[in-house]
Amino acid sequence: MASAPIVTLISTYEQAAAAAQALTRYSTLILDCEGQDFNRPGGVLSIISVGTYPPSEIVYLFDVLALQDKENPLLAPLFCLLSDPGVGKLVWDGRGDFLELWLTYGVVVEGILDMQLAEVIRRPAYMKSHTLNYFSKSKAVMRDLESNPHLLDGIQRLVGLDHCAGILRVLDECGGEDPAVTTLHETDGGSMWLNRPLPPMLRDYAARDIQLISRVSDVILPRVDMEQLREASARYMRVYPTRELKEAHVPLELSKFAPLDVIDAPPPGTPAYPCARCGRMLSLSCFATREPTAVAEGAEREPDASVQDQGPSAGHRWRWTMCRLCVLIAVRKSEAQMESWGWSLVP
Ligand SMILES: [Zn+2]
């Protein structure tokens, strides 16, 4: 069993500078953030947890509420560390942390290695059914997949940190999640993270997340191509540039899946097309497509006037107006807006 790390709360600018200086000895860190209404409009960043790796001997909890002056020069060493692409940052679903650090401090975190994405990239065979299990309850989706199995190409359902740690059998080393904190998160959106002094149970909760990321990384990291993970993670961080967009995607259930065009990026210069449901600009491989004749024979037609005017033309393909991921989720949820779908001519 791994020994517990030394956890230090950092609540003065002088301490922040000293802690950042101590962390410069490490080429890889573990990063995690906590806060109220994280990634929702009005969200507040409370704690930046930074652990050393390997192993997670030291955990610093930077108290953002006590370190609000982003112009204070004593925060510069910490910002330098976060924005240094040469220092790897192991995270678990770092999208929210990346966004909140940008909105709070104007810092773009570089060198991120997202272990949630790494799990997807090197997913073991026994986890392959995880994605299909989400859709298999819907007969309509299964019918669609039967007629076109390629709809599922590249679509991967994510797992949570505790779930992954359980699968990898490293959960016991870190102890169970504190049910009191989990309940508070669910009932009040995490306002407890604004309490000072920081309650001991929250300090333990933050430190445990760092421990969990560390243990999970021990297992997954040796299996992945670091350069591929680094590039995919950078794309993953940029999927949600605003809290509003992140919140809008929650009811669409998109946050349960690895975003398309993130693990494997289209080559530079590849044309991108908008999805009518998620609004993301995606490469053609993310859409169901048909040859012009196939559409001409079918009854479905894009209601958009410009498309109807042109009609199917030789040499052009048609694409479904929603990305494959959105189509499958919307069919599973029997969304009302499904009626407005159609085909769109690819220029
Ligand atoms: Zn979409």
Side-chain angles (χ1 to χ4, degrees):
M1 182 167 164
S3 58
I6 300 163
V7 183
T8 310
L9 186 67
I10 303 295
S11 48
T12 69
Y13 292 99
E14 288 73 18
Q15 288 171 346
Q21 177 61 33
L23 291 170
T24 55
R25 293 191 292 118
Y26 297 84
S27 59
T28 307
L29 300 170
I30 306 168
L31 174 67
D32 191 34
C33 295
E34 310 288 353
Q36 179 191 28
D37 289 333
F38 224 53
N39 291 175
R40 293 172 60 192
V44 181
L45 182 60
S46 164
I47 295 288
I48 304 168
S49 319
V50 183
T52 57
Y53 186 86
S56 54
E57 307 172 304
I58 300 167
V59 176
Y60 291 120
L61 305 180
F62 291 89
D63 181 352
V64 177
L65 302 188
L67 305 168
Q68 295 214 341
D69 177 15
K70 62 180 176 186
E71 305 300 334
N72 191 308
L74 291 172
L75 285 183
L78 174 63
F79 297 163
C80 243
L81 207 58
L82 292 173
S83 59
D84 184 348
V87 180
K89 284 93 182 177
L90 302 172
V91 301
W92 185 274
D93 190 358
R95 293 175 290 181
D97 306 342
F98 180 86
L99 176 59
E100 294 295 335
L101 283 164
W102 163 247
L103 293 173
T104 306
Y105 284 133
V107 173
V108 178
V109 184
E110 300 287 359
I112 286 182
L113 298 163
D114 198 310
M115 300 315 297
Q116 188 184 46
L117 217 46
E119 186 280 325
V120 170
I121 292 170
R122 299 297 296 167
R123 182 163 278 180
Y126 59 83
M127 278 294 290
K128 294 278 194 251
S129 59
H130 181 60
T131 304
L132 195 60
N133 286 348
Y134 173 85
F135 295 111
S136 60
K137 290 183 188 78
S138 163
K139 283 181 183 159
V141 173
M142 295 315 284
R143 266 200 307 275
D144 285 350
L145 287 176
E146 215 163 277
S147 59
N148 185 3
H150 292 300
L151 283 175
L152 209 55
D153 284 355
I155 290 177
Q156 301 269 21
R157 183 182 171 197
L158 300 167
V159 293
L161 178 55
D162 274 79
H163 184 176
C164 182
I167 294 165
L168 300 176
R169 300 175 191 279
V170 296
L171 197 55
D172 292 347
E173 297 170 29
C174 306
E177 197 169 51
D178 187 338
V181 179
T182 311
T183 307
L184 277 171
H185 259 293
E186 287 164 1
T187 52
D188 75 350
S191 68
M192 76 256 187
W193 286 106
L194 304 188
N195 290 343
R196 292 297 183 272
L198 190 70
M201 72 171 181
L202 295 186
R203 184 187 165 113
D204 293 346
Y205 182 96
R208 176 182 173 272
D209 274 357
I210 294 291
Q211 277 277 78
L212 270 184
I213 295 170
S214 175
R215 297 284 86 77
V216 163
S217 301
D218 289 343
V219 181
I220 298 179
L221 212 51
R223 298 185 197 157
V224 293
D225 176 330
M226 295 290 269
E227 214 37 53
Q228 183 197 6
L229 178 59
R230 195 181 297 274
E231 289 173 11
S233 298
R235 289 189 288 272
Y236 194 34
M237 294 307 111
R238 287 158 178 83
V239 168
Y240 293 124
T242 66
R243 288 173 178 146
E244 288 72 16
L245 191 61
K246 177 87 165 56
E247 189 176 50
H249 276 199
V250 171
L252 301 182
E253 303 204 358
L254 286 161
S255 42
K256 294 180 178 177
F257 293 85
L260 296 175
D261 274 351
V262 160
I263 291 173
D264 297 304
T270 302
Y273 306 92
C275 166
R277 183 172 177 270
C278 65
R280 293 191 63 213
M281 295 295 292
L282 297 162
S283 66
L284 199 54
S285 67
C286 302
F287 297 87
T289 58
R290 278 187 183 180
E291 298 301 331
T293 47
V295 175
E297 287 161 7
E300 296 143 337
R301 190 61 76 79
E302 162 64 48
D304 180 89
S306 63
V307 174
Q308 281 184 344
D309 287 346
Q310 290 171 23
S313 56
H316 286 92
R317 290 180 70 81
W318 293 75
R319 69 169 177 93
W320 204 234
T321 49
M322 292 189 194
C323 72
R324 288 183 285 108
L325 177 56
C326 278
V327 168
L328 292 174
I329 296 173
V331 170
R332 181 184 180 272
K333 294 176 71 200
S334 307
E335 285 180 4
Q337 60 172 339
M338 281 161 54
E339 289 164 15
S340 64
W341 297 359
W343 293 95
S344 179
L345 192 63
V346 177

